[in-house]
Amino acid sequence: MQRPRRTPTTRPCSARESAPRRRPQPQPQPRQSPTSTTTSTSRTGPARRSSPTRPGSSPTRGPRAGATPSTDPGADAGSVHGRHPAGSREGAGTIGLVTRTENAPVSSDVDVPASMWEVARRPRWIAMLALCLVIAGIFAWLGHWQIERSVESGQEVNPETETVKVLSDVVDPQSSFFDRVGGQMVTVTGQFAPDDFRVVVDRYNGGDPGSWLIGRLVDDADGSSVVVALGWSSDEGGAEAAERAVPTGTVTVTGRYMPSDQPSDGDFREGRENVVSVPMLVNEWTDLDGDVYSGYVVSADPVDGLAAIDSVAPESDRSLNWLNVFYAIEWVVFAGFAIFLWFRLVRDRFERDVDEAEEARLEGATAS
């Protein structure tokens, strides 16, 4: 049996129901500046940000019709900064509220010095300056010492060599021979020892070879003995014959005080002496009592039968020692370099502080 078909009934619609429904329009979102960060702080409803569109597709303005908001908490994890998790459909199931926060600029704790001298006034660099000044002072003193040496070498060792002085006042017996007494005119009073005369051969006088007659004089002042060269003869026999003309009593001898010669073994082995060596004569003298002077006196007044021995004043080199001057200049340069080294270290420290402050400022500007 066929059922009768029910005829649908219609009812009048109101104007509100008959009007087409409008799709809710998303609210415009404020544009984020490059220096701001966005965070998702709450879940208030469906996300209203549009996802990037693919070529050939129309932009999506909101959720599709009939779609329901997702309640899965994990669905909101990938929606930070408007991004969607991998595998999710574009613009679907994202919930979040985008907010904008401003980051404060990075502060720098680097102390920027106003000038290099501000760095120099720090305790560390003041101590370094004191050390450099001490080192420079030592170098300057060494330079001054070299200058004194160069000046001393250009002066006469003894400018008063021609002034006659008492031998005992110039030098002491048994003392070393110093350059300051070499060639000094002296006087000594005493008696000659009768058995201690010697003839020294191969002595030149004015370029001519000859012989000297020497003897031992005992000083009346302190009993010390000194060798005296009494004169020169062109032949050895004439020097030996002049020994009889030597006074036997107290005499005063004036002459130039000269250093002793070095011992020689050549002619001494044949019974002849060619040097005036005080140490060698001491071993030959008889009845020696008392001290001995380390030099000998060349008499200005020879005994009868002999010629005066050439004895000129010593020559001194008055030229300046340039080697010592060069050393003095070197020490002055070293002293200046010590001060320059401190200055350079302070300047490098100042430039490093400025560079570090600039780098910190740039990092702070980039981070903000």
Side-chain angles (χ1 to χ4, degrees):
M1 181 174 177
Q2 188 175 5
R3 290 183 178 180
R5 180 175 298 178
R6 185 179 294 178
T7 301
T9 59
T10 59
R11 61 184 182 87
C13 298
S14 62
R16 181 178 180 182
E17 293 178 354
S18 61
R21 291 186 177 181
R22 292 184 179 182
R23 183 176 298 176
Q25 298 296 328
Q27 297 294 331
Q29 298 291 335
R31 296 186 60 182
Q32 296 181 353
S33 63
T35 59
S36 63
T37 57
T38 60
T39 57
S40 177
T41 59
S42 64
R43 297 168 55 193
T44 59
R48 300 221 191 300
R49 295 187 58 182
S50 61
S51 62
T53 59
R54 292 192 297 269
S57 62
S58 60
T60 304
R61 295 294 182 179
R64 291 179 299 174
T68 58
S70 174
T71 59
D72 185 8
D76 198 27
S79 61
V80 179
H81 302 289
R83 299 174 185 158
H84 303 285
S88 64
R89 301 185 64 178
E90 295 180 4
T94 59
I95 302 174
L97 178 64
V98 179
T99 61
R100 185 166 67 99
T101 59
E102 296 290 338
N103 287 340
V106 178
S107 61
S108 175
D109 295 335
V110 180
D111 184 15
V112 183
S115 64
M116 188 188 72
W117 302 114
E118 182 177 343
V119 177
R121 290 194 296 269
R122 294 175 183 174
R124 174 186 178 184
W125 297 111
I126 292 177
M128 182 67 71
L129 176 61
L131 177 61
C132 291
L133 288 176
V134 171
I135 296 175
I138 295 175
F139 290 162
W141 177 82
L142 291 174
H144 180 265
W145 175 74
Q146 290 289 352
I147 288 293
E148 287 184 345
R149 292 286 299 172
S150 64
V151 172
E152 289 177 358
S153 61
Q155 295 178 349
E156 294 185 15
V157 178
N158 184 10
E160 300 180 355
T161 55
E162 302 309 302
T163 302
V164 180
K165 299 180 180 179
V166 178
L167 178 62
S168 59
D169 296 339
V170 175
V171 63
D172 296 329
Q174 299 295 124
S175 63
S176 301
F177 192 95
F178 298 101
D179 292 339
R180 59 180 177 81
V181 298
Q184 176 67 47
M185 293 295 296
V186 297
T187 180
V188 56
T189 301
Q191 297 178 354
F192 284 99
D195 299 329
D196 291 332
F197 290 100
R198 299 289 188 274
V199 174
V200 182
V201 298
D202 296 337
R203 309 302 292 186
Y204 287 83
N205 201 53
D208 298 330
S211 300
W212 284 4
L213 175 64
I214 61 175
R216 177 170 71 93
L217 180 69
V218 180
D219 191 358
D220 291 342
D222 52 11
S224 300
S225 297
V226 60
V227 179
V228 177
L230 298 172
W232 175 85
S233 176
S234 59
D235 59 279
E236 185 176 352
E240 293 178 353
E243 179 182 345
R244 295 186 294 269
V246 177
T248 57
T250 301
V251 295
T252 299
V253 177
T254 300
R256 197 175 299 279
Y257 189 63
M258 304 297 293
S260 173
D261 297 336
Q262 295 296 326
S264 175
D265 295 334
D267 294 335
F268 179 73
R269 294 175 180 176
E270 301 177 1
R272 305 175 64 193
E273 298 176 2
N274 60 356
V275 293
V276 182
S277 174
V278 174
M280 187 172 61
L281 292 173
V282 169
N283 296 326
E284 300 176 7
W285 289 338
T286 60
D287 300 331
L288 177 62
D289 186 15
D291 297 332
V292 179
Y293 287 92
S294 58
Y296 64 93
V297 178
V298 177
S299 178
D301 299 325
V303 298
D304 295 339
L306 299 178
I309 300 174
D310 291 341
S311 178
V312 296
E315 296 181 358
S316 298
D317 185 11
R318 295 175 179 268
S319 63
L320 196 64
N321 191 339
W322 290 104
L323 181 61
N324 292 107
V325 174
F326 176 74
Y327 289 153
I329 295 174
E330 279 189 341
W331 287 120
V332 173
V333 172
F334 292 158
F337 179 76
I339 304 300
F340 173 76
L341 179 62
W342 172 84
F343 172 81
R344 186 59 184 266
L345 292 175
V346 172
R347 191 179 69 175
D348 291 346
R349 178 71 264 180
F350 168 70
E351 294 177 351
R352 191 178 301 115
D353 289 348
V354 172
D355 292 343
E356 292 175 357
E358 183 66 18
E359 291 177 0
R361 188 187 66 81
L362 294 177
E363 291 177 0
T366 304
S368 61

